């Protein structure tokens, strides 16, 4: 018999652990030699609100006769844009009232970008170089950078220039990738930043804190930074070469406090535990290596496992009896999760794939869309903050809402088994679509784009139908739990 009252207490403890914060999101980076197929992968859970529709769209290439001025509706940040805006995918919010927040996408040159991983800087760094109120912030980053770059490195250079000229309004981590490399960039103050090239044979799991450690300013192949960063840090007392040794960006600009111990570091531990299980580390460590070697090559499924994790199978799982304050990777306020994959030896339109999971990853499905699609399914272009029965976002969000009140029972009997089958079917179907798309592209890129668009729509429709069927079953089961007494003799 289901123990409703026992679980309710656990449920409310869980909610107290994962209340939304101004700092959210978890990032996963996988170098090409660390992946099973030689692809680069950058991924992130976008965490902020529990009922806030996210959309998935394609912006076509656009050519203007004169330069346009971009102005953020969030904080007034303004920047003049180039005449040509290249095609790109994006995941904007349903309203631009507070800014676009396009968050993640892949452009027509096969460059992927995910922005941002929110972080904190220490008081000394912020006093030395304060944030700029109307500087560039998360709501604008993808919009003013991704459509105008042709390599991952160019992305760092363009955003870096903007930060230097206009200032930054927030402390953030930003990811760029193409089929050859991944760059992780951190903005540590109003005008200073640093970026590191992810080693090809390594991966990283990054929470809401600055993580870039030792910076080699003589190695421009693997490190980039704002001008005079080292001199600035010395002058302002953020770095003492005699005492500190190699320059560490995270030590000079970042934090390492009780908040990080509970909210950030445990997520690094969890991700590294999954991808390198041979590592035996303490969840309360504070000096995790940023880049690790996986025990085995990493697949898209492995990355999705990290994004869906809440310390599963450990004593720290808040969905069980753990009542500590370790913040998990998978949380109730994830709005969308993405894996941006760029594969080798393929045209970018086919080789780059935008995997997107709307709502909470654990109760959703990652759907793959080739970056060469001409438009997204209509269900991904609609929805607001009011629940509906048509949008993709609210279909997947409903699965989580129906599962959570009876989490243990429903996850084991209905939600996890059905979503696993659906995800496996998606993976199998995509392999067939992928194979045909590549063959078509060699004959006619345009025909391939039309094919990928239509097949992406079909795959999305079939998956949404299957998930809605699961939602109906969950609702049906929930109705049987209504605590109303009925006399069987009447």
């Amino acid at each position: 018999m289901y123990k409703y009252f026992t679980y309710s207490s656990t449920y409310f403890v869980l909610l107290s652990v994962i209340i939304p914060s101004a700092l959210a999101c978890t990032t996963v980076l996988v170098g090409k030699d660390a992946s099973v197929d030689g692809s680069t992968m950058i991924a992130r859970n976008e965490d902020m609100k529990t009922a806030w529709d996210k959309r998935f769209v394609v912006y076509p290439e656009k050519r203007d006769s004169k330069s346009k001025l971009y102005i953020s509706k969030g904080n007034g940040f303004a920047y003049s844009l180039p005449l040509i805006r290249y095609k790109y995918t994006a995941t904007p919010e349903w309203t631009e009232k507070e800014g676009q927040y396009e968050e993640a996408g892949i452009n027509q040159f096969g460059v992927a970008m995910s922005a941002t991983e929110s972080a904190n800087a220490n008081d000394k760094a912020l006093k030395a170089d304060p944030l700029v109120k109307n500087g560039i912030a998360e709501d604008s980053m993808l919009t003013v950078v991704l459509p105008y770059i042709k390599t991952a490195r160019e992305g760092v250079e363009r955003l870096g220039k903007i930060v230097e000229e206009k200032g930054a309004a927030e402390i953030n981590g930003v990811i760029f990738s193409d089929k050859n490399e991944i760059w992780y960039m951190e903005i540590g103050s109003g005008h200073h930043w640093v970026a590191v090239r992810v080693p090809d044979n390594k991966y990283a799991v990054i929470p809401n804190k600055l993580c870039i450690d030792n910076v080699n300013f003589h190695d421009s192949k693997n490190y980039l930074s704002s001008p005079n960063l080292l001199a600035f840090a010395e002058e302002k007392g953020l770095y003492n070469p005699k005492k500190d040794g190699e320059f560490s960006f995270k030590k000079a600009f970042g934090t390492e406090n009780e908040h990080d111990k509970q909210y950030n570091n445990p997520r690094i531990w969890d991700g590294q535990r999954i991808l390198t299980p041979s590592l035996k580390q303490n969840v309360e460590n504070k000096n995790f290596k940023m880049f690790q070697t996986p025990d085995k090559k990493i697949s898209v499924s492995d990355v999705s496992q990290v994004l869906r994790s809440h310390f599963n199978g450990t004593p720290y799982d808040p969905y069980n009896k753990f009542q500590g304050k370790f913040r998990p990777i998978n949380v109730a306020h994830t709005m969308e999760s993405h894996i941006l994959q760029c594969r080798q030896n393929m045209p970018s339109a086919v080789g780059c794939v935008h995997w997107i999971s709307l709502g909470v990853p654990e109760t959703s499905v990652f759907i793959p869309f080739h970056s060469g699609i001409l438009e997204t399914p209509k269900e991904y272009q609609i929805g607001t903050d009011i629940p509906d029965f048509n949008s993709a976002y609210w279909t997947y969000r409903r699965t989580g809402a129906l599962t959570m009140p009876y989490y243990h029972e429903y996850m084991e009997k209905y939600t996890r088994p059905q979503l696993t089958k659906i995800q496996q079917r998606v993976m199998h179907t995509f392999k067939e679509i992928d194979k045909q798309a590549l063959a078509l592209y060699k004959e006619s890129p345009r025909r391939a784009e039309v094919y990928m668009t239509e097949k992406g729509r079909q795959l999305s429709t079939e998956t949404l139908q299957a998930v809605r069927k699961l939602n109906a079953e969950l609702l049906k089961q929930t109705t049987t739990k209504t605590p109303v007494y009925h006399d069987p003799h009447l």
Side-chain angles (χ1 to χ4, degrees), residues 37 39-40 106 110 179 340-355 369-372 430 434 437-438 441 452:
D37 59 358
S39 63
T40 60
I106 306 172
K179 66 181 180 181
L340 309 181
Q341 179 186 27
C342 295
R343 299 175 290 179
Q344 304 292 314
N345 306 314
M346 300 174 75
S348 60
V350 181
C352 293
V353 184
H354 190 140
W355 298 80
F369 293 95
H370 290 100
S371 67
F430 182 69
D434 200 41
L438 183 58
Y441 195 91
M452 292 185 292

Side-chain angles (χ1 to χ4, degrees), residues 67-70 77-82 144 148 158 162 166:
S67 180
K68 286 191 174 182
L69 184 67
Y70 171 91
F77 164 74
Y79 201 72
S80 181
L81 299 176
V144 302
Y148 309 103
R158 177 173 173 80
I162 295 173
K166 305 290 289 187

Side-chain angles (χ1 to χ4, degrees), residues 48-77:
M48 185 53 66
K49 299 181 180 181
T50 56
W52 197 253
D53 184 276
K54 292 294 295 189
R55 299 179 179 181
F56 176 49
V57 299
V58 176
Y59 294 107
E61 181 178 310
K62 183 180 179 183
R63 295 173 180 262
D64 294 313
S65 58
K66 59 180 181 179
S67 180
K68 286 191 174 182
L69 184 67
Y70 171 91
I71 301 177
S72 164
K73 293 182 180 179
N75 70 341
F77 164 74

